[in-house]
Amino acid sequence: DGDVFKYYAQGHWNKSSSGKSVPIINPSTRKTQFKVQACTQEEVNRVMESAKTAQKSWAKTPLWKRAELLHKAAAILKEHKAPIAECLVKEIAKPAKDAVSEVVRSGDLVSYCAEEGVRILGEGKLLVSDSFPGNDRTKYCLSSKIPLGVVLAIPPFNYPVNLAVSKIAPALIAGNSIVLKPPTQGAVAALHMVHCFHLSGFPKDLISCVTGKGSEIGDFLTMHSGVNCISFTGGDTGIAISKKAGMIPLQMELGGKDACIVLEDADLDLAAANMVKGGFSYSGQRCTAVKVVLVMESVANTLVKKINDKVAKLTVGPPENDSDITPVVTESSANFIEGLVMDAKEKGATFCQEYKREGNLIWPLLLDNVRPDMRIAWEEPFGPVLPVIRIKSVDEGINHCNASNFGLQGCVFTRDINKAMLISDAMETGTVQINSAPSRGPDHFPFQGLKDSGIGSQGITNSINMMTKIKTTVINLP
Ligand code: G3H
């Protein structure tokens, strides 16, 4: 059955005993592009068991050796950028150039992680007891960071490679083993990426990658007693996972409704360029995409015109041609986006372009004069549709931003740094960008969401720390 990509466990490629597969539909052709194994719960049990054993000896592997293997994996990953990017193009319709960038960025992330891990895990802490009242200097407390055990990594479809390695590399450098459950769209790109780790010579069983139906192995994985940490990026499923998971550390990033506040004194050319890049790159399918523009009434006409001029230049078509706007990931996603657009239409939003859709391909659309009673004012389309709300005061913008159940990133455009700082403090989001669209990178920056946008903080350093726990030994003097 050479058509079905095998899953990775026990250091080799396996067929599932289920005899079943999961199809991966190419968003552009809407035909089956690839198939992956539909793993069973017994197979998950075996993977968990071996991941547990492998982790014990990996934790004893010298830190510099773990780093060396990660550097090797990073280099191999970059060498394989072309075939992996090709999968991203076919599985998730990522524009060809962006697909290559995703892989290169992933290699850089893995290398940086190895270096950062050596730095931060190579040092511990010493406390002496006589600083606390009533104590003499008779106790020396030594702390170091030890691994958690088995880390379950669940990345989303929009960065199947990059958001997988952003979980895998910190876990490995910190001495954990990894069980990866890739998204269905993007699973083959992820399997190729895992192959690069395989070629680097990591111990067998340390890394596993199981594919399959969420309904069969989703809850089974996240509720498995063998899992010691879950790092998840995706949608609402994360909220369900957080309710069902056991008493283990969770790292979650669950989307956003990133607001962009544009003040009267803003550089409107800069703002418009960032709205278009932030709102429409990868067709808006980024958790950090600009998802609502909140612009001061007095500059709204000028800003909207500038954005429209740039939207008119966006190319629309297949990812192979490196078009700016490509088909969204699934038909149901396209239907959802269309639902938001139709709701806005019924409620009187101004359509700056005609709404156009062919299959999963939706033409870029700016909706002006959006009001709070429209769904698109609050929900994230994850598509190439950008709503503009005209505001009469900065407070109105901040209030709209803070009324959202999301709190990932936000941004403010102004030439007044004092105002920008005050607005940043007032916005209830994990990050505020001043004079730039939201974005996760550079990948060593902290990345976190408040409210329903997530739990914990990512970025290389924070992820490494999150995937460890503190162990202390106290030396008691007589
Ligand atoms: O989709 C969520 C990603 O974490 C966003 O990453 O800002 O690099 O596109 P990005």
Side-chain angles (χ1 to χ4, degrees):
D1 191 7
D3 280 330
V4 185
F5 281 85
K6 293 176 178 162
Y7 76 100
Y8 185 68
Q10 286 88 42
H12 45 252
W13 299 94
N14 307 277
K15 274 189 197 175
S16 169
S17 60
S18 72
K20 291 187 193 142
S21 64
V22 182
I24 297 170
I25 313 294
N26 181 324
S28 309
T29 62
R30 293 191 288 159
K31 297 210 166 77
T32 299
Q33 181 75 40
F34 301 122
K35 287 180 192 160
V36 292
Q37 306 290 325
C39 291
T40 64
Q41 297 186 351
E42 292 87 278
E43 283 156 350
V44 168
N45 278 336
R46 271 205 294 283
V47 157
M48 288 297 171
E49 203 52 47
S50 49
K52 188 176 176 181
T53 314
Q55 190 270 327
K56 301 258 183 274
S57 47
W58 179 243
K60 296 197 179 90
T61 305
L63 185 52
W64 68 266
K65 275 197 188 167
R66 290 186 231 151
E68 200 172 73
L69 283 170
L70 281 170
H71 280 300
K72 205 166 162 194
I76 297 176
L77 194 55
K78 285 188 182 179
E79 278 164 29
H80 289 234
K81 65 180 181 211
I84 299 176
E86 206 175 307
C87 294
L88 293 172
V89 167
K90 302 283 183 220
E91 291 183 271
I92 61 164
K94 186 164 275 199
K97 269 195 206 135
D98 293 351
V100 174
S101 308
E102 174 171 346
V103 185
V104 174
R105 175 181 177 182
S106 301
D108 291 339
L109 191 156
V110 174
S111 298
Y112 192 103
C113 210
E115 287 166 20
E116 184 71 343
V118 166
R119 280 194 289 266
I120 64 177
L121 300 168
E123 60 182 38
K125 202 173 174 184
L126 166 69
L127 293 180
V128 288
S129 49
D130 63 344
S131 49
F132 196 85
N135 283 272
D136 294 325
R137 201 181 177 89
T138 52
K139 292 173 186 287
Y140 289 80
C141 177
L142 303 167
S143 302
S144 64
K145 287 169 184 160
I146 61 166
L148 297 174
V150 179
V151 174
L152 173 63
I154 309 183
F157 81 84
N158 62 348
Y159 285 97
V161 174
N162 186 265
L163 282 170
V165 302
S166 75
K167 304 173 190 313
I168 295 171
L172 293 180
I173 193 67
N176 300 287
S177 59
I178 267 285
V179 174
L180 172 68
K181 162 64 179 77
T184 297
Q185 308 279 144
V188 175
L191 289 168
H192 276 68
M193 175 273 294
V194 168
H195 187 58
C196 297
F197 280 78
H198 170 79
L199 294 173
S200 320
F202 282 90
K204 129 180 146 49
D205 289 334
L206 187 67
I207 304 168
S208 318
C209 181
V210 290
T211 52
K213 292 196 177 78
S215 55
E216 172 72 13
I217 58 167
D219 279 355
F220 193 73
L221 274 164
T222 54
M223 294 166 74
H224 202 285
S225 59
V227 172
N228 304 113
C229 168
I230 302 175
S231 180
F232 174 92
T233 308
D236 292 351
T237 321
I239 297 179
I241 292 174
S242 73
K243 289 186 178 136
K244 291 183 206 159
M247 209 174 71
I248 54 170
L250 300 177
Q251 185 181 49
M252 299 254 162
E253 200 264 280
L254 313 179
K257 184 70 184 170
D258 293 9
C260 192
I261 302 181
V262 184
L263 304 196
E264 282 155 322
D265 70 342
D267 176 338
L268 296 180
D269 288 309
L270 179 74
N274 275 276
M275 304 296 104
V276 173
K277 187 163 173 278
F280 296 103
S281 56
Y282 187 37
S283 306
Q285 297 173 109
R286 295 164 56 235
C287 54
T288 48
V290 173
K291 302 229 171 80
V292 59
V293 177
L294 301 159
V295 57
M296 290 295 285
E297 183 72 64
S298 61
V299 291
N301 284 345
T302 317
L303 181 74
V304 165
K305 181 172 182 323
K306 285 179 191 289
I307 297 177
N308 279 331
D309 289 348
K310 290 183 192 299
V311 168
K313 292 191 185 117
L314 294 174
T315 55
V316 182
E320 287 83 356
N321 294 2
D322 216 27
S323 311
D324 297 313
I325 304 295
T326 55
V328 297
V329 69
T330 56
E331 191 170 342
S332 66
S333 176
N335 291 343
F336 175 78
I337 298 162
E338 184 164 298
L340 294 181
V341 170
M342 292 310 145
D343 173 78
K345 188 171 191 169
E346 276 164 30
K347 292 174 184 160
T350 308
F351 279 53
C352 298
Q353 296 78 21
E354 204 184 323
Y355 173 67
K356 191 173 166 195
R357 171 180 170 187
E358 275 171 21
N360 294 359
L361 187 60
I362 294 178
W363 269 250
L365 177 62
L366 190 75
L367 297 175
D368 195 2
N369 295 305
V370 165
R371 288 192 322 265
D373 63 323
M374 300 175 191
R375 286 176 57 202
I376 194 128
W378 305 104
E379 296 179 43
E380 56 171 348
F382 237 67
V385 182
L386 183 58
V388 177
I389 298 181
R390 294 169 175 238
I391 52 172
K392 291 187 179 59
S393 69
V394 174
D395 281 346
E396 191 185 337
I398 293 169
N399 291 341
H400 184 91
C401 166
N402 292 350
S404 170
N405 55 332
F406 289 118
L408 189 58
Q409 293 205 358
C411 60
V412 51
F413 283 83
T414 172
R415 288 188 170 93
D416 185 335
I417 189 66
N418 298 330
K419 275 189 195 157
M421 286 305 297
L422 290 172
I423 292 169
S424 171
D425 285 349
M427 285 171 92
E428 292 166 3
T429 61
T431 301
V432 174
Q433 304 268 352
I434 298 173
N435 291 326
S436 177
S439 122
R440 171 166 49 111
D443 291 331
H444 65 306
F445 279 14
F447 180 56
Q448 57 282 316
L450 306 184
K451 299 190 263 186
D452 284 355
S453 285
I455 301 176
S457 179
Q458 299 171 68
I460 290 170
T461 314
N462 287 343
S463 291
I464 296 173
N465 283 325
M466 183 267 168
M467 291 175 184
T468 62
K469 56 192 162 193
I470 306 286
K471 168 72 188 267
T472 62
T473 302
V474 182
I475 302 171
N476 290 274
L477 302 184

